[in-house]
Amino acid sequence: MDLALTEKHRALRDEVNGFIGKHRGSAPRPGGGRKRPDRKALDWQALLLEHGYFARTIPREYGGFGVAPDVIELAIIADAFSRAGLSPGIHNQGISMLVPTLLEVGTEEQKRRWVGPTIRGEIIWCQGYSEPGSGSDLAAAQTRATVEDGHFVVNGQKIWTSSAHYADMMFLLCRTEPDKVKHAGLSYLLLSMKTPGIEVRPLRTMTGRAEFNETFFTDVRVPVDQIVMGRGDGWQVANITLKYERMLLGDPNKLQQRLVAIRHMMEQPGPDGSRLMDCAEWRDRLLRLQAEVMAARHHNLRLLTVQAEGGDPGLGRFIVKYHGTMLAHRLSSLAVDVLGAAGLAYEPQGETAEDDDATTWHIDYMYDMGLIIGGGSSNIQKNIIGERGLGLPREPKATVSATAGRD
């Protein structure tokens, strides 16, 4: 891939930098993906959409900016916002996972109905995948849906449902074909969280906040046309969503933004006038992470290039998720250490409160531990990369003795 900038690309870089200089004061704080966007975030989203700095390649008929994919353009925009420490817009499960899924396999009516309001931040989605008894085995989902009077009637339970307590809609993986086993019996439904029969119970985590939830379904009625692809196609659709989830969880532009923020903190003089940046040990730790961030960003460019050329990055996405979540935790760990005594001022004020820097970094540090597991744990990602990518032998299955558990 040729990374040299053409005249067109240099003009775009100047345009984006000019936009940032003019509108910097209108931007919300970076992050904010774990709560419902406020008015400032929605106004900023509208401004980014208007100028083509968000949803740039989504067709205009679905609410996007509608230009042809250009990897260098996307990289220029992402780089400018991350270096400026500004929010690149709202990145949540609906925008980053459901929208590209619908653009890939949704019907024309589904695209026109859901894509525009979702990318504008007007509709918030949650993901109904994980269940208490299935662990990482997504195909073992037991939430069921039967058809009655033109509706799917859903019964069951989901867990670790991020943002379910404020989401408007859910994309749900459930079992609709009882005569088929595992992957073949699943379907992918779209449903309103206001539908009677849905109960959401928040789960408070070590961050002090309830960002995850248990979600219960009791005779929840969903119109039969609110299905993506067809009955029994849920496993295929779910895996399309998962490939975009891996890109979201390991987003290299978010890593770059964190790196810039940490470098800025290290350059600030302390009470005695000294800077952590002048200390070789701290500088070495930062530079090692900087090298990893650079590698992640260039790997992302490679994947974007493959995608733009109509190919499938395949296992490259697993590398993004595995490396990105591990690196994000190491970055937030460094930030907490850089804060020193100031980092002790961890005081979460609730999901909608505006946090100070110490609280933000501590929440990121603890939340990132969960992301190492969420979306496919790091151990599973390594197994997939090793077995499918490197041709290593499959991990041996544990055997249980016939006398195990007996007195």
Side-chain angles (χ1 to χ4, degrees):
M1 181 178 67
D2 183 10
L3 293 176
L5 296 184
T6 64
E7 186 63 36
K8 179 187 76 169
H9 292 135
R10 286 193 290 270
L12 175 63
R13 182 184 60 188
D14 293 341
E15 174 196 315
V16 177
N17 288 333
F19 172 90
I20 288 172
K22 180 179 180 181
H23 296 285
R24 177 184 291 276
S26 301
R29 284 178 58 132
R34 299 194 288 270
K35 62 182 180 181
R36 192 174 187 94
D38 57 19
R39 184 72 260 164
K40 188 171 187 178
L42 293 174
D43 290 344
W44 181 246
Q45 187 82 348
L47 193 61
L48 296 179
L49 286 165
E50 177 188 344
H51 286 80
Y53 304 145
F54 195 92
R56 186 172 182 83
T57 62
I58 291 178
R60 284 189 177 273
E61 59 266 32
Y62 308 137
F65 196 67
V67 302
D70 184 314
V71 174
I72 302 299
E73 286 185 357
L74 296 175
I76 287 170
I77 294 168
D79 184 68
F81 281 91
S82 64
R83 290 185 183 280
L86 293 186
S87 166
I90 302 168
H91 289 272
N92 55 28
Q93 294 173 103
I95 291 172
S96 301
M97 294 161 58
L98 178 69
V99 164
T101 299
L102 292 181
L103 290 173
E104 191 167 329
V105 295
T107 65
E108 183 67 18
E109 192 277 334
Q110 287 169 343
K111 295 174 190 177
R112 291 186 179 275
R113 181 176 181 181
W114 299 119
V115 172
T118 300
I119 62 176
R120 291 193 296 270
E122 297 165 3
I123 295 178
I124 304 299
W125 294 77
C126 60
Q127 177 189 41
Y129 273 22
S130 298
E131 295 188 5
S134 58
S136 297
D137 186 4
L138 190 59
Q142 293 302 308
T143 296
R144 297 182 179 274
T146 57
V147 176
E148 298 178 11
D149 301 324
H151 288 78
F152 288 106
V153 181
V154 183
N155 286 278
Q157 179 188 357
K158 297 292 180 177
I159 198 167
W160 311 125
T161 319
S162 302
S163 71
H165 54 306
Y166 61 80
D168 304 298
M169 298 288 297
M170 173 186 281
F171 45 100
L172 171 73
L173 190 66
C174 60
R175 191 162 299 281
T176 59
E177 316 305 304
D179 56 328
K180 298 180 180 178
V181 297
K182 298 217 63 169
H183 311 78
L186 299 170
S187 295
Y188 190 108
L189 308 182
L190 308 178
L191 63 119
S192 169
M193 292 298 288
K194 295 181 175 63
T195 308
I198 297 178
E199 180 187 359
V200 176
R201 299 179 189 172
L203 296 169
R204 193 165 299 279
T205 69
M206 63 182 170
T207 66
R209 299 181 173 183
E211 291 145 339
F212 300 113
N213 305 271
E214 294 178 288
T215 310
F216 298 86
F217 304 87
T218 304
D219 294 333
V220 175
R221 298 177 65 83
V222 182
V224 291
D225 61 351
Q226 294 306 300
I227 185 171
V228 181
M229 294 186 68
R231 290 181 59 167
D233 293 329
W235 182 250
Q236 179 183 346
V237 184
N239 274 279
I240 292 171
T241 302
L242 284 173
K243 73 182 180 183
Y244 294 113
E245 180 179 27
R246 294 181 185 113
M247 299 295 285
L248 170 66
L249 295 180
D251 183 5
N253 297 308
K254 181 179 178 181
L255 301 176
Q256 167 75 9
Q257 197 166 57
R258 285 191 180 186
L259 184 76
V260 170
I262 294 169
R263 187 167 64 224
H264 176 73
M265 289 193 297
M266 289 178 60
E267 289 171 346
Q268 301 306 304
D272 61 353
S274 64
R275 306 184 313 160
L276 289 181
M277 189 64 78
D278 297 327
C279 177
E281 290 84 358
W282 286 98
R283 194 165 60 246
D284 178 73
R285 190 173 167 188
L286 177 70
L287 288 172
R288 289 175 184 271
L289 292 174
Q290 178 175 287
E292 289 196 59
V293 171
M294 291 175 66
R297 298 183 73 219
H298 282 85
H299 178 63
N300 187 60
L301 288 173
R302 178 168 57 185
L303 300 188
L304 287 173
T305 301
V306 172
Q307 240 178 299
E309 293 173 348
D312 182 2
L315 289 172
R317 292 193 181 92
F318 291 88
I319 295 172
V320 170
K321 196 281 170 182
Y322 167 71
H323 181 248
T325 52
M326 300 287 282
L327 179 53
H329 187 250
R330 291 199 295 275
L331 284 164
S332 55
S333 176
L334 174 58
V336 169
D337 291 346
V338 166
L339 286 166
L344 298 175
Y346 170 57
E347 197 66 43
Q349 300 295 324
E351 285 78 3
T352 60
E354 191 75 15
D355 297 322
D356 55 38
D357 287 341
T359 299
T360 296
W361 281 115
H362 272 285
I363 287 178
D364 284 342
Y365 174 78
M366 290 183 281
Y367 193 82
D368 289 343
M369 289 185 189
L371 292 186
I372 291 173
I373 301 171
S377 73
S378 291
N379 287 340
I380 289 177
Q381 303 299 310
K382 287 195 291 185
N383 280 354
I384 294 172
I385 293 166
E387 294 167 8
R388 300 184 196 173
L390 302 178
L392 300 177
R394 291 185 64 85
E395 182 180 35
K397 300 296 183 182
T399 58
V400 180
S401 169
T403 60
R406 296 181 183 174
D407 294 332

